[in-house]
Amino acid sequence: MKSCLVVDDSRVIRKVARRILEDMDFQVNEAEDGQAALRKCQQEMPDAVLLDWNMPVMNGIDFLRELRSSPGGEAPVVVFCTTENDMSSIVEAMEAGANEYIMKPFDSEIVQSKFAEVGLI
């Protein structure tokens, strides 16, 4: 079973994402900010990360840069899931190491199609 870390400061978003991912047969772990997500990745690296951009403590882009520079951090497939929709943000995310980008609000169909595009399902 593949694992996915859902990183978002919204409990509601984490809950919705968890339900979608569990229906896709993923083992799901959650983190409320980038710093908590880094700690979880250091304990056990997930196969995928569904990542919000705007969070307290450490935002998504800073988390992604830290993840990609850490041992084993190149392995997880990272899918940004955010309201940031301007082209410069998307380019910045991809240059920092994101594999794909989902706009909020999202649904099961969108998550499944993006995860299929990056080879997770």
Side-chain angles (χ1 to χ4, degrees):
M1 179 179 283
K2 290 190 177 179
S3 61
C4 184
L5 177 61
V6 177
V7 187
D8 199 300
D9 57 326
S10 166
R11 183 178 291 135
V12 172
I13 296 289
R14 292 195 311 266
K15 188 174 184 176
V16 169
R18 172 183 285 278
R19 184 169 297 130
I20 290 169
L21 291 162
E22 285 176 345
D23 286 348
M24 294 166 54
D25 291 325
F26 276 83
Q27 175 188 334
V28 179
N29 204 342
E30 299 177 19
E32 66 280 356
D33 61 60
Q35 196 169 57
L38 274 178
R39 284 193 301 272
K40 289 183 187 252
C41 289
Q42 289 164 353
Q43 293 167 0
E44 184 177 350
M45 199 62 76
D47 296 304
V49 179
L50 189 62
L51 180 63
D52 185 25
W53 190 299
N54 297 305
M55 297 177 288
V57 186
M58 177 186 280
N59 67 30
I61 199 80
D62 290 342
F63 160 80
L64 181 56
R65 289 184 178 122
E66 288 283 327
L67 175 71
R68 292 301 193 213
S69 67
S70 64
E74 69 286 343
V77 173
V78 176
V79 178
F80 256 106
C81 181
T82 181
T83 57
E84 297 294 329
N85 63 359
D86 59 282
M87 189 51 79
S88 64
S89 294
I90 294 170
V91 168
E92 183 180 4
M94 298 313 247
E95 287 175 349
N99 300 90
E100 196 49 80
Y101 210 90
I102 295 174
M103 304 308 298
K104 287 180 182 175
F106 61 91
D107 61 20
S108 178
E109 198 173 297
I110 292 168
V111 174
Q112 285 183 17
S113 99
K114 291 294 185 177
F115 274 46
E117 282 179 33
V118 293
L120 285 167
I121 56 173

